[in-house]
Amino acid sequence: MKTYRIKAGAGVAGLELHDRPSSALGPRDIRVQMRAVSLNARDLAFANGTFPNTPDHSLVPLVDGHGQVIEVGSEVSRFAPGDNVITTYYPHWEEGEIAPAKVDISLGVQVDGTLCEERVASEAWFVRAPAMLDVHGAATLSCAGLTAWNALFCAGGLKPGASVLLLGTGGVSIWALQLAHAAGLRPIVLSSQDEKLEKTRLLGAKETLNYRRHPEWQDEVMRLTEGQGVDLVVEVGGEGTLARSLQACRMGGKVVVIGRVAGGGAASIPPGALIGGAKQLQGITTGSRAILEDLCRFVDAHRIAPVVDRVFAFGEARAAYEHLAASRHFGKVVIDVAG
């Protein structure tokens, strides 16, 4: 069985392909033949040594993945051979509110992930894949799709007709755009590239803004919303965008913080920016298995096909990392394990 391994901080060049024997199957384990996996910003952070709480040994990277069950243990009840499954992000967070014990490990960071030909783990670590998705689309739900769903509908609590500001056109933002459109929300999208903004309109963006032409884009958001501001901002930029996101949010609105791809040092947020507008800041980290199952049902019901920017062959894993690092992608970067 072929598998990639990498040590935190080794850089993309440290990603190495290995052969290893198949793992033994425990009574509650399933053996999954991996078909496709996808990359996230956290995988670059792990490779670059900037992701927290990483081990000092190499492991199999990535968390997103789709595969088919080929063998089940004697006590398995949730799956059977032939079932199509996707991974969960936090194996110990099955349902309910977040707690330290539920998020103590995630695939591809503290334990082996999905960039391998075969994965053996507890049946609790998987959910059934949406029936209408192909293998590449299904491989994008466990991190980006789940985070977008949580931001909009769990942490965000949005209802049809609400407005949401999406920063950029990466995996989470495009997933959020597709979910928002299907749910009857009003998405506004920021990007530095007009070509990408035009693509977002085809996916349901109601308004778009090029932040190179409008560096004070929070003022443009206020203009587009008739001086009210948006109900929710899905904040992926971090320190570099957080202050503007708060200004673009309506009185009583919320900024859900899910990333920090813009960086920019320490963010200075005067308490008055929250108090005077009764605004809320909330951080989230993906979600539980139960939330992922809700997302899968919604995807099937609305026949949402995730946007895949490019598919790489299994032997081109380093090139896939480099493509993501170049930040030219629109949607998700996928690796075809079976191809």
Side-chain angles (χ1 to χ4, degrees):
M1 192 253 307
K2 295 186 182 299
T3 179
Y4 280 94
R5 298 189 71 84
I6 189 172
K7 186 176 180 180
V12 176
L15 188 67
E16 297 181 341
L17 187 62
H18 295 265
D19 278 305
R20 76 176 190 189
S22 295
S23 300
L25 198 70
R28 294 181 178 169
D29 291 342
I30 61 175
R31 189 182 308 278
V32 178
Q33 183 177 19
M34 300 304 301
R35 291 181 167 178
V37 298
S38 69
L39 285 134
N40 296 281
R42 45 106 67 189
D43 304 312
L44 289 177
F46 183 91
N48 294 332
T50 58
F51 201 86
N53 192 28
T54 56
D56 59 2
H57 58 80
S58 67
L59 48 69
V60 180
L62 310 194
V63 62
D64 277 328
H66 171 280
Q68 186 174 66
V69 179
I70 56 176
E71 187 181 4
V72 301
S74 59
E75 297 179 17
V76 168
S77 60
R78 297 177 62 237
F79 303 108
D83 286 344
N84 292 315
V85 296
I86 59 175
T87 48
T88 58
Y89 189 96
Y90 290 115
H92 295 161
W93 189 6
E94 296 185 16
E95 60 183 356
E97 294 185 359
I98 193 169
K102 295 179 179 181
V103 296
D104 57 346
I105 61 170
S106 65
L107 274 68
V109 173
Q110 287 82 33
V111 296
D112 282 344
T114 58
L115 191 51
C116 53
E117 292 182 322
E118 183 183 287
R119 189 70 173 87
V120 172
S122 167
E123 63 173 334
W125 294 24
F126 299 86
V127 304
R128 198 174 302 275
M132 60 82 56
L133 291 185
D134 63 20
V135 297
H136 300 145
T140 71
L141 275 75
S142 305
C143 182
L146 176 58
T147 302
W149 176 269
N150 190 352
L152 294 175
F153 307 116
C154 299
L158 294 184
K159 305 295 183 184
S163 57
V164 56
L165 177 63
L166 306 174
L167 310 186
T169 56
V172 173
S173 295
I174 294 302
W175 251 115
L177 171 58
Q178 293 186 275
L179 293 171
H181 177 62
L185 307 181
R186 179 191 176 191
I188 301 172
V189 180
L190 296 181
S191 175
S192 63
Q193 300 179 39
D194 289 337
E195 180 183 357
K196 288 185 176 181
L197 289 173
E198 184 59 34
K199 290 180 179 179
T200 68
R201 285 189 172 274
L202 298 176
L203 293 171
K206 297 300 183 183
E207 285 95 10
T208 59
L209 287 170
N210 186 316
Y211 62 78
R212 298 292 186 198
R213 284 199 297 273
H214 301 285
E216 301 296 323
W217 46 262
Q218 72 279 4
D219 296 334
E220 291 299 306
V221 173
M222 295 299 289
R223 180 183 63 81
L224 291 172
T225 56
E226 299 180 345
Q228 297 300 306
V230 294
D231 296 295
L232 177 75
V233 182
V234 180
E235 170 57 68
V236 301
E239 299 94 330
T241 55
L242 185 54
R244 286 190 171 89
S245 290
L246 273 170
Q247 292 176 55
C249 189
R250 70 164 173 84
M251 181 173 285
K254 180 179 287 190
V255 176
V256 176
V257 182
I258 63 109
R260 53 190 302 269
V261 296
S268 178
I269 305 297
L274 298 173
I275 299 170
K279 298 179 182 182
Q280 303 175 59
L281 268 178
Q282 180 173 346
I284 65 166
T285 173
T286 59
S288 67
R289 190 182 81 191
I291 296 174
L292 180 58
E293 289 171 332
D294 288 341
L295 168 62
C296 290
R297 285 188 286 269
F298 187 86
V299 167
D300 263 339
H302 292 270
R303 305 193 63 80
I304 299 173
V307 176
V308 174
D309 176 81
R310 185 171 170 185
V311 178
F312 289 82
F314 188 63
E316 300 175 319
R318 285 187 186 176
Y321 270 78
E322 291 164 354
H323 182 69
L324 182 68
S327 297
R328 292 190 293 268
H329 59 290
F330 182 89
K332 296 294 295 178
V333 178
V334 172
I335 297 173
D336 190 319
V337 177

